Amino acid sequence: MCGTIPDVMSKHETTPPTSPDPADVGLRFLTVAHQVRTAVDQHMAAAGLSLARTKLLRLLAQRGALHQAELAEALGQAPRSVTQAVEALERLRLVTRTPDPVDRRRKTVTLTEQGHAALAAGEQAGTGILQRIFGALDTRQLTRLEQLLTDTDEATRHSATP
């Protein structure tokens, strides 16, 4: 019985996990977010409406007719960008633009019936792909992801101010 005791610890030892680098995790988050956004945009475009156009139409559906400047402010975009988007939507007959009765230089944008139908189709396509992507997660994972997103949102709000 004189012998050496086998080194049992070496079989069970593991290297301690390293803490992930926050910048690496942040970059991965941005990459995944971009992939999800691209998938949503592609599915919505296949249904006839891009994600960007859907946002503009949704705003009109929620708030009613708006001046182009109000649309630009609400969307956080440059007025010229919104003007171009509205012109494209008008060519597709999804919105109408009418001169303001007081200031004829200002245009009021209104969602048409075709716009309502296109919005419904685009939103349905967007919802469908999001259901497929996030439906692959179980309830526990979705709950955890929701909490992580809430925490990340809060951290972003606190870190955004200099």
Coordinates of all heavy atoms in Angstrom, one line a residue, residues 83-156:
T83 N -38.6 64.6 -46.9 CA -39.2 65.0 -48.1 C -39.0 64.0 -49.2 O -40.0 63.7 -49.9 CB -38.6 66.4 -48.5 OG1 -38.9 67.3 -47.5 CG2 -39.2 66.9 -49.9
Q84 N -37.8 63.5 -49.3 CA -37.6 62.4 -50.4 C -38.4 61.2 -50.1 O -39.0 60.6 -51.1 CB -36.1 62.1 -50.4 CG -35.3 63.2 -51.0 CD -33.8 63.0 -50.8 OE1 -33.3 62.1 -50.1 NE2 -33.0 63.7 -51.6
A85 N -38.5 60.8 -48.9 CA -39.3 59.6 -48.5 C -40.8 59.8 -48.8 O -41.4 58.9 -49.4 CB -39.1 59.2 -47.1
V86 N -41.3 61.0 -48.4 CA -42.7 61.3 -48.7 C -43.0 61.4 -50.2 O -44.0 60.9 -50.6 CB -43.1 62.6 -47.9 CG1 -44.4 63.1 -48.4 CG2 -43.1 62.4 -46.4
E87 N -42.1 61.9 -50.9 CA -42.3 62.0 -52.4 C -42.4 60.6 -53.0 O -43.2 60.3 -53.8 CB -41.1 62.8 -53.1 CG -41.2 64.3 -52.8 CD -40.0 65.0 -53.3 OE1 -39.0 64.4 -53.6 OE2 -40.0 66.3 -53.3
A88 N -41.5 59.7 -52.5 CA -41.6 58.3 -53.0 C -42.9 57.6 -52.6 O -43.5 56.9 -53.4 CB -40.4 57.5 -52.5
L89 N -43.3 57.8 -51.4 CA -44.6 57.3 -50.9 C -45.8 57.8 -51.6 O -46.7 57.1 -51.9 CB -44.7 57.5 -49.4 CG -43.7 56.7 -48.5 CD1 -43.8 57.1 -47.1 CD2 -44.0 55.2 -48.6
E90 N -45.6 59.1 -52.0 CA -46.7 59.8 -52.8 C -46.8 59.1 -54.2 O -47.9 58.9 -54.7 CB -46.5 61.3 -52.8 CG -47.6 62.0 -53.5 CD -47.4 63.5 -53.5 OE1 -46.3 64.0 -53.7 OE2 -48.4 64.3 -53.3
R91 N -45.7 58.9 -54.8 CA -45.6 58.2 -56.1 C -46.3 56.9 -56.1 O -46.9 56.4 -57.0 CB -44.2 58.1 -56.7 CG -43.7 59.4 -57.2 CD -42.4 59.2 -58.0 NE -41.3 58.7 -57.2 CZ -40.5 59.4 -56.4 NH1 -40.6 60.7 -56.3 NH2 -39.5 58.8 -55.7
L92 N -46.2 56.2 -54.9 CA -46.8 54.9 -54.8 C -48.2 55.0 -54.3 O -48.9 53.9 -54.1 CB -46.0 54.1 -53.7 CG -44.6 53.7 -54.1 CD1 -43.8 53.1 -52.9 CD2 -44.6 52.7 -55.3
R93 N -48.7 56.2 -54.1 CA -50.1 56.5 -53.7 C -50.4 56.0 -52.3 O -51.5 55.6 -52.0 CB -51.1 55.9 -54.7 CG -51.0 56.6 -56.0 CD -52.2 56.2 -56.9 NE -52.2 57.0 -58.1 CZ -51.9 56.5 -59.3 NH1 -51.6 55.2 -59.5 NH2 -51.9 57.3 -60.4
L94 N -49.3 56.0 -51.4 CA -49.5 55.5 -50.0 C -49.8 56.7 -49.1 O -50.3 56.6 -48.0 CB -48.3 54.8 -49.6 CG -47.9 53.5 -50.4 CD1 -46.7 52.8 -49.8 CD2 -49.1 52.6 -50.5
V95 N -49.4 57.9 -49.6 CA -49.7 59.2 -48.9 C -50.1 60.2 -49.9 O -49.8 60.1 -51.1 CB -48.5 59.7 -48.1 CG1 -48.0 58.7 -47.0 CG2 -47.3 60.1 -49.0
T96 N -50.7 61.3 -49.4 CA -51.0 62.5 -50.2 C -50.4 63.6 -49.5 O -50.2 63.6 -48.3 CB -52.5 62.7 -50.4 OG1 -53.1 62.9 -49.1 CG2 -53.2 61.6 -51.1
R97 N -50.0 64.6 -50.3 CA -49.4 65.9 -49.7 C -50.3 67.0 -50.2 O -50.6 67.1 -51.4 CB -48.0 66.1 -50.2 CG -47.0 65.2 -49.6 CD -45.6 65.6 -49.9 NE -45.4 65.7 -51.4 CZ -44.4 66.3 -51.9 NH1 -43.5 66.9 -51.2 NH2 -44.3 66.4 -53.3
T98 N -50.7 67.8 -49.3 CA -51.6 69.0 -49.6 C -50.9 70.2 -49.0 O -50.4 70.2 -47.9 CB -53.0 68.8 -49.1 OG1 -53.0 68.6 -47.7 CG2 -53.7 67.7 -49.8
P99 N -51.0 71.3 -49.7 CA -50.5 72.6 -49.2 C -51.3 73.0 -48.0 O -52.5 72.8 -47.9 CB -50.7 73.6 -50.3 CG -51.0 72.8 -51.5 CD -51.6 71.5 -51.1
D100 N -50.6 73.5 -47.0 CA -51.2 74.1 -45.8 C -52.0 75.3 -46.2 O -51.6 76.1 -46.9 CB -50.1 74.5 -44.8 CG -50.7 74.9 -43.5 OD1 -51.0 76.1 -43.3 OD2 -50.9 74.1 -42.5
P101 N -53.3 75.4 -45.7 CA -54.1 76.6 -46.1 C -53.5 77.9 -45.6 O -53.8 79.0 -46.3 CB -55.5 76.3 -45.4 CG -55.3 75.2 -44.5 CD -54.0 74.5 -44.8
V102 N -52.8 77.9 -44.6 CA -52.2 79.2 -44.0 C -50.9 79.5 -44.7 O -50.6 80.6 -45.1 CB -52.1 79.1 -42.5 CG1 -51.4 80.4 -41.9 CG2 -53.5 78.9 -41.9
D103 N -50.0 78.5 -44.8 CA -48.7 78.6 -45.3 C -48.5 77.6 -46.4 O -48.2 76.5 -46.2 CB -47.6 78.4 -44.2 CG -46.2 78.7 -44.7 OD1 -46.0 78.8 -45.9 OD2 -45.3 78.6 -43.8
R104 N -48.7 78.1 -47.7 CA -48.7 77.2 -48.8 C -47.4 76.5 -49.1 O -47.3 75.5 -49.8 CB -49.2 77.9 -50.0 CG -50.7 78.4 -49.8 CD -51.3 78.8 -51.1 NE -51.5 77.8 -52.1 CZ -52.5 76.8 -52.1 NH1 -53.2 76.7 -51.1 NH2 -52.6 76.0 -53.1
R105 N -46.3 77.0 -48.4 CA -45.0 76.3 -48.6 C -44.9 75.0 -47.8 O -44.1 74.1 -48.1 CB -43.8 77.3 -48.1 CG -43.7 78.5 -49.0 CD -42.7 79.4 -48.4 NE -43.3 79.9 -47.1 CZ -42.7 80.7 -46.3 NH1 -41.4 81.0 -46.5 NH2 -43.3 81.1 -45.2
R106 N -45.7 75.0 -46.7 CA -45.8 73.8 -45.9 C -46.7 72.8 -46.5 O -47.8 73.1 -47.0 CB -46.2 74.1 -44.5 CG -45.2 74.9 -43.7 CD -45.8 75.4 -42.3 NE -46.5 74.4 -41.6 CZ -46.4 74.2 -40.3 NH1 -45.6 75.0 -39.6 NH2 -47.0 73.2 -39.7
K107 N -46.3 71.5 -46.4 CA -47.1 70.4 -46.9 C -47.6 69.5 -45.8 O -46.9 69.2 -44.9 CB -46.4 69.5 -47.9 CG -45.8 70.3 -49.1 CD -46.8 70.7 -50.0 CE -46.1 71.4 -51.2 NZ -47.0 72.2 -52.0
T108 N -48.9 69.2 -45.9 CA -49.5 68.3 -44.9 C -49.5 66.9 -45.5 O -50.0 66.7 -46.7 CB -50.9 68.7 -44.5 OG1 -50.8 70.0 -43.9 CG2 -51.5 67.8 -43.5
V109 N -49.0 65.9 -44.8 CA -49.0 64.5 -45.3 C -50.1 63.7 -44.7 O -50.2 63.7 -43.4 CB -47.6 63.9 -45.1 CG1 -47.5 62.5 -45.7 CG2 -46.5 64.8 -45.6
T110 N -50.8 63.0 -45.5 CA -51.9 62.2 -45.0 C -51.8 60.8 -45.6 O -51.5 60.6 -46.7 CB -53.3 62.8 -45.5 OG1 -53.3 64.1 -45.1 CG2 -54.4 62.0 -44.9
L111 N -52.1 59.8 -44.7 CA -52.0 58.4 -45.1 C -53.3 58.1 -46.0 O -54.4 58.4 -45.6 CB -52.0 57.5 -43.9 CG -51.7 56.0 -44.0 CD1 -50.3 55.8 -44.7 CD2 -51.7 55.4 -42.6
T112 N -53.1 57.4 -47.1 CA -54.2 57.0 -47.9 C -54.7 55.6 -47.5 O -54.1 54.9 -46.7 CB -53.8 56.9 -49.4 OG1 -52.8 55.9 -49.6 CG2 -53.2 58.3 -49.9
E113 N -55.8 55.2 -48.1 CA -56.3 53.8 -47.9 C -55.3 52.8 -48.3 O -55.0 51.8 -47.7 CB -57.7 53.6 -48.6 CG -58.8 54.3 -47.9 CD -59.0 53.9 -46.4 OE1 -58.9 52.7 -46.1 OE2 -59.1 54.8 -45.6
Q114 N -54.6 53.0 -49.5 CA -53.6 52.1 -50.0 C -52.4 52.1 -49.0 O -51.8 51.1 -48.8 CB -53.1 52.6 -51.3 CG -54.0 52.2 -52.5 CD -53.3 52.7 -53.8 OE1 -53.5 53.9 -54.1 NE2 -52.7 51.8 -54.5
G115 N -52.2 53.3 -48.4 CA -51.1 53.4 -47.3 C -51.4 52.5 -46.1 O -50.6 51.8 -45.6
H116 N -52.7 52.6 -45.7 CA -53.1 51.7 -44.6 C -52.9 50.3 -44.9 O -52.5 49.5 -44.0 CB -54.6 52.0 -44.2 CG -54.8 53.2 -43.4 ND1 -54.5 53.3 -42.1 CD2 -55.3 54.5 -43.8 CE1 -54.8 54.5 -41.6 NE2 -55.3 55.2 -42.6
A117 N -53.3 49.8 -46.1 CA -53.2 48.4 -46.5 C -51.7 48.0 -46.6 O -51.3 46.9 -46.1 CB -53.9 48.2 -47.8
A118 N -50.9 48.9 -47.1 CA -49.4 48.6 -47.2 C -48.8 48.5 -45.8 O -48.0 47.6 -45.6 CB -48.7 49.6 -48.1
L119 N -49.2 49.4 -45.0 CA -48.7 49.4 -43.6 C -49.1 48.1 -42.9 O -48.2 47.4 -42.3 CB -49.3 50.6 -42.8 CG -48.9 50.7 -41.3 CD1 -47.4 50.7 -41.1 CD2 -49.6 51.9 -40.7
A120 N -50.3 47.6 -43.0 CA -50.8 46.4 -42.4 C -50.0 45.2 -43.0 O -49.5 44.4 -42.2 CB -52.3 46.2 -42.7
A121 N -49.7 45.2 -44.3 CA -49.0 44.1 -44.9 C -47.5 44.1 -44.4 O -46.9 43.1 -44.1 CB -49.0 44.1 -46.4
G122 N -46.9 45.3 -44.4 CA -45.5 45.4 -43.9 C -45.4 45.0 -42.4 O -44.4 44.3 -42.1
E123 N -46.3 45.5 -41.6 CA -46.2 45.1 -40.2 C -46.4 43.7 -40.0 O -45.7 43.1 -39.1 CB -47.2 46.0 -39.4 CG -46.8 47.4 -39.3 CD -47.8 48.2 -38.4 OE1 -49.0 47.9 -38.4 OE2 -47.3 49.2 -37.8
Q124 N -47.3 43.0 -40.7 CA -47.5 41.6 -40.6 C -46.2 40.8 -41.0 O -45.9 39.9 -40.3 CB -48.7 41.2 -41.5 CG -49.0 39.7 -41.3 CD -50.2 39.3 -42.1 OE1 -50.8 40.1 -42.9 NE2 -50.6 38.1 -42.0
A125 N -45.6 41.3 -42.0 CA -44.3 40.6 -42.5 C -43.3 40.8 -41.4 O -42.5 39.8 -41.1 CB -43.9 41.2 -43.8
G126 N -43.1 42.0 -40.8 CA -42.2 42.3 -39.8 C -42.4 41.4 -38.6 O -41.5 40.9 -38.0
T127 N -43.7 41.4 -38.1 CA -44.0 40.6 -37.0 C -43.8 39.1 -37.2 O -43.3 38.4 -36.3 CB -45.5 40.8 -36.6 OG1 -45.7 42.2 -36.3 CG2 -46.0 40.0 -35.4
G128 N -44.0 38.7 -38.4 CA -43.8 37.3 -38.7 C -42.4 36.8 -38.6 O -42.1 35.8 -37.9
I129 N -41.5 37.6 -39.1 CA -40.0 37.3 -39.0 C -39.5 37.4 -37.6 O -38.7 36.6 -37.1 CB -39.2 38.0 -40.0 CG1 -37.7 37.5 -40.0 CG2 -39.1 39.5 -39.7 CD1 -37.6 36.1 -40.4
L130 N -40.0 38.4 -36.8 CA -39.6 38.5 -35.4 C -40.1 37.3 -34.6 O -39.4 36.9 -33.7 CB -40.1 39.9 -34.9 CG -39.4 41.1 -35.4 CD1 -40.1 42.4 -34.9 CD2 -37.9 41.1 -35.0
Q131 N -41.3 36.9 -34.9 CA -41.9 35.7 -34.2 C -41.0 34.5 -34.5 O -40.7 33.7 -33.6 CB -43.3 35.4 -34.7 CG -44.3 36.4 -34.2 CD -44.6 36.2 -32.7 OE1 -44.3 35.2 -32.1 NE2 -45.3 37.1 -32.1
R132 N -40.5 34.3 -35.8 CA -39.7 33.2 -36.1 C -38.3 33.3 -35.4 O -37.8 32.3 -34.9 CB -39.5 33.1 -37.6 CG -40.7 32.6 -38.3 CD -40.6 32.4 -39.8 NE -39.3 32.2 -40.4 CZ -38.9 32.5 -41.6 NH1 -39.8 33.1 -42.4 NH2 -37.7 32.3 -42.1
I133 N -37.7 34.5 -35.4 CA -36.4 34.6 -34.8 C -36.5 34.4 -33.3 O -35.8 33.6 -32.8 CB -35.8 36.0 -35.2 CG1 -35.5 36.1 -36.6 CG2 -34.6 36.3 -34.3 CD1 -35.1 37.5 -37.1
F134 N -37.3 35.2 -32.7 CA -37.4 35.1 -31.2 C -38.2 34.0 -30.7 O -38.1 33.6 -29.5 CB -37.8 36.5 -30.6 CG -36.8 37.6 -30.9 CD1 -36.9 38.5 -31.9 CD2 -35.6 37.6 -30.1 CE1 -35.9 39.4 -32.2 CE2 -34.7 38.6 -30.3 CZ -34.8 39.5 -31.4
G135 N -39.0 33.4 -31.5 CA -39.8 32.2 -31.2 C -38.9 31.0 -31.0 O -39.3 30.0 -30.4
A136 N -37.7 31.1 -31.5 CA -36.7 30.0 -31.4 C -36.2 29.9 -29.9 O -35.5 28.9 -29.5 CB -35.5 30.1 -32.3
L137 N -36.4 31.0 -29.1 CA -36.0 31.0 -27.7 C -37.1 30.5 -26.9 O -38.3 30.7 -27.2 CB -35.6 32.4 -27.3 CG -34.6 33.1 -28.2 CD1 -34.4 34.6 -27.7 CD2 -33.3 32.4 -28.1
D138 N -36.8 29.8 -25.8 CA -37.8 29.4 -24.8 C -38.2 30.6 -23.9 O -37.6 31.6 -23.9 CB -37.4 28.1 -24.1 CG -36.2 28.3 -23.1 OD1 -36.0 29.5 -22.6 OD2 -35.4 27.4 -22.9
T139 N -39.2 30.3 -23.1 CA -39.8 31.4 -22.3 C -38.7 32.0 -21.3 O -38.6 33.2 -21.1 CB -41.0 30.9 -21.5 OG1 -42.0 30.4 -22.4 CG2 -41.6 31.9 -20.6
R140 N -37.9 31.1 -20.8 CA -36.9 31.5 -19.8 C -35.9 32.4 -20.6 O -35.5 33.5 -20.1 CB -36.2 30.3 -19.2 CG -35.1 30.6 -18.2 CD -34.3 29.4 -17.8 NE -33.7 28.6 -18.8 CZ -32.6 29.0 -19.5 NH1 -31.9 30.1 -19.1 NH2 -32.1 28.3 -20.4
Q141 N -35.5 32.0 -21.8 CA -34.5 32.8 -22.5 C -35.1 34.1 -22.9 O -34.4 35.2 -22.9 CB -34.1 32.0 -23.8 CG -33.2 30.8 -23.5 CD -33.0 30.0 -24.7 OE1 -34.0 29.7 -25.5 NE2 -31.8 29.5 -24.9
L142 N -36.4 34.1 -23.4 CA -37.0 35.4 -23.7 C -37.1 36.4 -22.5 O -36.9 37.6 -22.7 CB -38.4 35.2 -24.3 CG -38.5 34.7 -25.7 CD1 -39.9 34.3 -26.1 CD2 -38.0 35.8 -26.7
T143 N -37.5 35.8 -21.4 CA -37.6 36.6 -20.2 C -36.2 37.2 -19.8 O -36.1 38.4 -19.5 CB -38.1 35.8 -19.0 OG1 -39.4 35.3 -19.4 CG2 -38.2 36.6 -17.7
R144 N -35.2 36.4 -19.9 CA -33.8 36.9 -19.6 C -33.3 37.9 -20.6 O -32.8 38.9 -20.2 CB -32.8 35.7 -19.6 CG -31.4 36.0 -19.3 CD -31.3 36.4 -17.8 NE -29.9 36.8 -17.5 CZ -29.5 37.9 -16.9 NH1 -30.4 38.6 -16.3 NH2 -28.3 38.1 -16.7
L145 N -33.6 37.7 -21.9 CA -33.3 38.6 -22.9 C -34.0 40.0 -22.7 O -33.4 41.0 -22.8 CB -33.6 38.1 -24.3 CG -33.3 39.0 -25.5 CD1 -31.8 39.4 -25.5 CD2 -33.7 38.4 -26.8
E146 N -35.2 39.9 -22.4 CA -36.0 41.1 -22.1 C -35.4 41.9 -21.0 O -35.2 43.1 -21.0 CB -37.5 40.8 -21.8 CG -38.3 42.0 -21.6 CD -39.8 41.7 -21.4 OE1 -40.1 40.6 -20.9 OE2 -40.6 42.5 -21.8
Q147 N -35.0 41.2 -19.9 CA -34.3 41.9 -18.8 C -33.0 42.5 -19.2 O -32.6 43.6 -18.8 CB -34.2 40.9 -17.6 CG -33.6 41.6 -16.3 CD -34.4 42.7 -15.8 OE1 -35.6 42.5 -15.6 NE2 -33.9 43.9 -15.7
L148 N -32.2 41.7 -19.9 CA -30.9 42.2 -20.4 C -31.1 43.5 -21.3 O -30.3 44.4 -21.2 CB -30.1 41.1 -21.2 CG -29.6 40.0 -20.3 CD1 -29.1 38.8 -21.2 CD2 -28.5 40.4 -19.4
L149 N -32.1 43.4 -22.1 CA -32.3 44.6 -23.0 C -32.7 45.8 -22.1 O -32.3 46.9 -22.4 CB -33.4 44.3 -24.0 CG -32.9 43.3 -25.1 CD1 -34.1 42.9 -26.0 CD2 -31.8 43.9 -26.0
T150 N -33.6 45.6 -21.1 CA -34.0 46.7 -20.2 C -32.8 47.2 -19.5 O -32.6 48.4 -19.4 CB -35.0 46.1 -19.2 OG1 -36.2 45.7 -19.9 CG2 -35.4 47.2 -18.2
D151 N -31.9 46.3 -19.0 CA -30.7 46.8 -18.3 C -29.8 47.5 -19.2 O -29.2 48.6 -18.9 CB -30.0 45.6 -17.7 CG -30.8 44.9 -16.6 OD1 -31.8 45.5 -16.1 OD2 -30.4 43.8 -16.2
T152 N -29.6 47.0 -20.5 CA -28.8 47.7 -21.4 C -29.3 49.1 -21.8 O -28.6 50.0 -21.9 CB -28.6 46.8 -22.7 OG1 -28.1 45.5 -22.3 CG2 -27.7 47.4 -23.7
D153 N -30.6 49.1 -22.0 CA -31.3 50.4 -22.3 C -31.0 51.4 -21.2 O -30.6 52.6 -21.5 CB -32.8 50.2 -22.5 CG -33.5 51.5 -22.9 OD1 -33.0 52.2 -23.8 OD2 -34.6 51.7 -22.4
E154 N -31.2 51.0 -20.0 CA -30.9 51.9 -18.8 C -29.5 52.3 -18.7 O -29.2 53.5 -18.5 CB -31.3 51.2 -17.5 CG -31.3 52.2 -16.3 CD -31.9 51.5 -15.1 OE1 -32.9 50.8 -15.2 OE2 -31.3 51.7 -14.0
A155 N -28.5 51.4 -18.9 CA -27.1 51.7 -18.9 C -26.8 52.7 -20.0 O -26.0 53.6 -19.9 CB -26.3 50.4 -19.1
T156 N -27.4 52.5 -21.2 CA -27.2 53.5 -22.3 C -27.7 54.9 -22.0 O -27.0 55.8 -22.2 CB -27.9 52.9 -23.6 OG1 -27.5 51.6 -23.9 CG2 -27.7 53.9 -24.7

